[in-house]
Amino acid sequence: DALPICRANLNKDKLKINYNFLTQEDNHPCHMVLFPYINESGNWFLCSNADNIKADSPLCIGKMTDPIDFPTLYKKHIESDVFRFLKNIGPFALFQSIGIKTHSKKYVSICDMCLSVFNNDETASRILKFVNSQEIIDTLDYIDNKISNESNNF
């Protein structure tokens, strides 16, 4: 059962991606971002586990005040660079890239860690700055194009 994942080779200042079909690794994409969560207030979150996330977190895409907002928010969801990074590369690589230690005993799972990191204003700001850099956007575009081209070959 090989999963299409991007293995991230990290150094202090750069993220280098080697795209491969690999078996499961510690550093794998997040599948929870494929299932948006809309809370009772209408806030649309990238992650289906985001019920305790603040509305100003990078995991919050916007507010659905009317069902007509659904296509707009869905488009914003799938085009979000945070979504693309988590979906294609994964949270471990993201957190390592901004200097967060990913192997901490204070978290019970990657989901627990991810929600904590995204709920913290300082780390959320660092995530947005990193993910919105042109180098990362170019890398995400490359990955999306590679996945699209490979899926067209099936």
Side-chain angles (χ1 to χ4, degrees):
D1 291 288
L3 301 171
I5 71 167
C6 295
R7 183 164 199 161
N9 298 318
L10 303 168
N11 63 35
K12 284 185 180 175
D13 301 320
K14 250 184 171 172
L15 175 70
K16 293 184 181 175
I17 305 294
N18 293 325
Y19 181 85
N20 293 307
F21 279 90
L22 303 172
T23 56
Q24 188 163 349
E25 300 275 332
D26 275 346
N27 187 16
H28 57 84
C30 176
H31 66 278
M32 300 307 285
V33 295
L34 299 175
F35 308 101
Y37 171 69
I38 303 168
N39 70 11
E40 63 278 354
S41 298
N43 294 315
W44 180 302
F45 294 93
L46 289 177
C47 172
S48 60
N49 283 336
D51 56 341
N52 292 317
I53 292 289
K54 299 185 296 186
D56 63 350
S57 163
L59 288 180
C60 187
I61 292 299
K63 190 167 189 138
M64 192 164 95
T65 55
D66 189 297
I68 202 160
D69 296 336
F70 188 89
T72 303
L73 288 172
Y74 181 75
K75 185 176 189 312
K76 190 174 177 184
H77 179 118
I78 62 173
E79 291 175 353
S80 159
D81 293 324
V82 172
F83 166 78
R84 295 189 319 142
F85 197 105
L86 293 172
K87 174 184 72 92
N88 291 321
I89 301 170
F92 277 119
L94 178 58
F95 302 153
Q96 290 170 348
S97 297
I98 64 166
I100 295 174
K101 293 182 181 183
T102 53
H103 297 289
S104 170
K105 293 186 182 204
K106 85 179 202 183
Y107 302 108
V108 295
S109 69
I110 183 57
C111 293
D112 182 37
M113 179 181 190
C114 192
L115 295 176
S116 176
V117 168
F118 275 102
N119 234 9
N120 177 291
D121 293 337
E122 190 270 327
T123 54
S125 174
R126 287 175 28 214
I127 286 169
L128 284 177
K129 183 177 179 185
F130 175 76
V131 171
N132 291 325
S133 71
Q134 192 59 51
E135 181 180 13
I136 297 304
I137 291 170
D138 292 345
T139 300
L140 294 171
D141 290 344
Y142 171 79
I143 292 167
D144 284 343
N145 288 333
K146 185 142 177 85
I147 290 171
S148 177
N149 290 338
E150 288 185 8
S151 68
N152 289 335
N153 292 330
F154 287 108

